[in-house]
Amino acid sequence: MPYRPSERALRTSPFYVMEVAKAAERLVAERGDQPPMIYLNIGEPDFTAPPLVQQAAIAAISAGQTQYTPALGIMPLRQAISRWYAERFGVAVAAERVVITAGASAALQLACLALLQAGDEMLLPDPGYPCNQQFVQAADARARLLPVGPEGRFQLDAQCVAEHWGPQTRGVLLASPSNPTGTSLAPSELAAIHREVKARGGITLVDEIYLGLSYDSAYGQTALVLGEDVISINSFSKYFNMTGWRLGWLVLPAELVAPVERLCQNLFICPSAIAQRAALACFAPESLAEYERRRDVFRQRRDLFLPQLGALGLEVPVAPDGAFYIWADCQEAARRLGARDSWDFAFALLERARIAVAPGRDFGHNGMERFVRFSIANSSENLQQAIDRMRALLA
């Protein structure tokens, strides 16, 4: 073989959600789409960008605003995000601390490359979003997954962080609300974690890409209230319904902006000029009102789907308070189908009920054979149809 993959490439795990998606596509291609496949596997809003955002993109193209922008993003967009934090969360975030990125993925990569040395360790919850550990590992650091359970809302706590902090530990990478569980850190617990990390001179890095899709006022606050030393990652993909536009942002301590700018210049040049111009329209009053309406639709879908799962043998240990995911224990339902674990159960649903879900294997090691993730980013009609199909299959 003339080209030998790097150790970094070889140790990167597959994204199993995508494997299920490919299997669903093959099934439809081979057997047709009757009854239609119901996709509850992908974490993508079924809403697209609202009208003003689409119009702003067209206007940017028509006006020729398609060339390189500053590496940190256009200042009007950084200022708009700063105002959004002030108006929605009551937090003062200077526009100069906001860095526009090519999606939250680029934001996470930039943060890890800017802060981590080879051999460093970051503490992450298990279960958690699988790509987060890959960003840590891509910086030649180690992602140490700590098992968390329903008693702690599937989140790390301050005691756990203190107990597992070691000589190589550099900080924590949290997500609130979380993918796959849809659960958030209580503000008091997040503050306690930050105190533990700060006392050790560490990094508090918080993935907040689902923050806009919080349904409970007890949790829907940004970690940036804790101080300017907290680093927040956010995105236009989820709450703002701009997944394929690949636009996100970082909020950094002021002293980290210049180092991250150098990384941006070399690794990405700049985020999409068209997406940035379009995203300005996200903060128009008409767009914000539409986003809030859509947030309520996601909440209604949760309230439709969640109560019906228990009767099907799909226990949900902690009700999600945000995002559009439900993390369900499928042991009993899998037993009824003769499935050995959540992987087999997911493929049984795919082949026998034409429902695509995400098996737990993607999200860590802690009890993953027991859990599946349902994405409720689909219409209420399709969600009810999925319940009806599962009821018939499991009867």
Side-chain angles (χ1 to χ4, degrees), residues 239 282 284-295:
Y239 175 71
C282 291
E286 180 182 327
S287 296
L288 290 172
E290 177 61 14
Y291 287 130
E292 286 300 285
R293 185 194 70 79
R294 293 176 180 185
R295 179 170 69 108

Side-chain angles (χ1 to χ4, degrees), residues 249-319:
W249 74 86
L250 272 169
V251 178
L252 296 167
E255 63 270 21
L256 278 178
V257 174
V260 167
E261 181 178 17
R262 292 194 293 271
L263 288 168
C264 291
Q265 290 168 339
N266 283 278
L267 297 180
F268 297 102
I269 308 297
C270 69
S272 163
I274 298 166
Q276 289 184 75
R277 299 290 178 185
L280 286 169
C282 291
F283 302 100
E286 180 182 327
S287 296
L288 290 172
E290 177 61 14
Y291 287 130
E292 286 300 285
R293 185 194 70 79
R294 293 176 180 185
R295 179 170 69 108
D296 194 54
V297 170
F298 282 126
R299 181 191 58 77
Q300 292 172 27
R301 293 172 179 177
R302 179 201 62 175
D303 294 345
L304 165 72
F305 197 74
L306 179 64
Q308 301 188 70
L309 290 174
L312 302 179
L314 290 155
E315 179 193 357
V316 180
V318 185

Side-chain angles (χ1 to χ4, degrees), residues 327-344:
W327 188 236
D329 188 329
C330 68
Q331 284 185 109
E332 171 59 24
R335 183 192 61 77
R336 292 191 209 173
L337 295 184
R340 293 172 300 176
D341 55 22
S342 63
W343 181 262
D344 284 355

Side-chain angles (χ1 to χ4, degrees), residues 14 249 375-376 394:
W249 74 86
S375 170
I376 53 172
L394 293 164

Side-chain angles (χ1 to χ4, degrees), residues 76-203:
L77 184 55
R78 298 166 73 191
Q79 291 169 335
I81 292 170
S82 173
R83 288 193 297 271
W84 183 68
Y85 277 114
E87 293 166 3
R88 175 147 187 173
F89 303 107
V91 180
V93 175
E96 291 74 16
R97 294 174 52 213
V98 178
V99 175
I100 310 301
T101 60
S105 296
L108 282 156
Q109 184 181 17
L110 288 164
C112 290
L113 291 175
L115 292 163
L116 301 180
Q117 308 282 2
D120 283 348
E121 173 185 89
M122 291 289 281
L123 306 181
L124 285 73
D126 180 359
Y129 180 54
C131 299
N132 285 356
Q133 59 185 290
Q134 304 301 337
F135 293 120
V136 173
Q137 292 175 171
D140 292 326
R142 177 192 175 208
R144 187 177 178 192
L145 303 183
L146 303 180
V148 292
E151 67 284 351
R153 301 181 55 75
F154 295 108
Q155 293 280 0
L156 293 181
D157 59 36
Q159 181 179 345
C160 180
V161 170
E163 288 175 354
H164 290 90
W165 197 281
Q168 301 302 118
T169 306
R170 189 76 177 90
V172 296
L173 174 47
L174 312 170
S176 184
S178 165
N179 175 6
T181 65
T183 60
S184 301
L185 273 158
S188 58
E189 195 60 54
L190 180 57
I193 291 172
H194 181 52
R195 284 194 297 271
E196 291 288 345
V197 173
K198 191 172 182 179
R200 292 163 172 79
I203 304 159

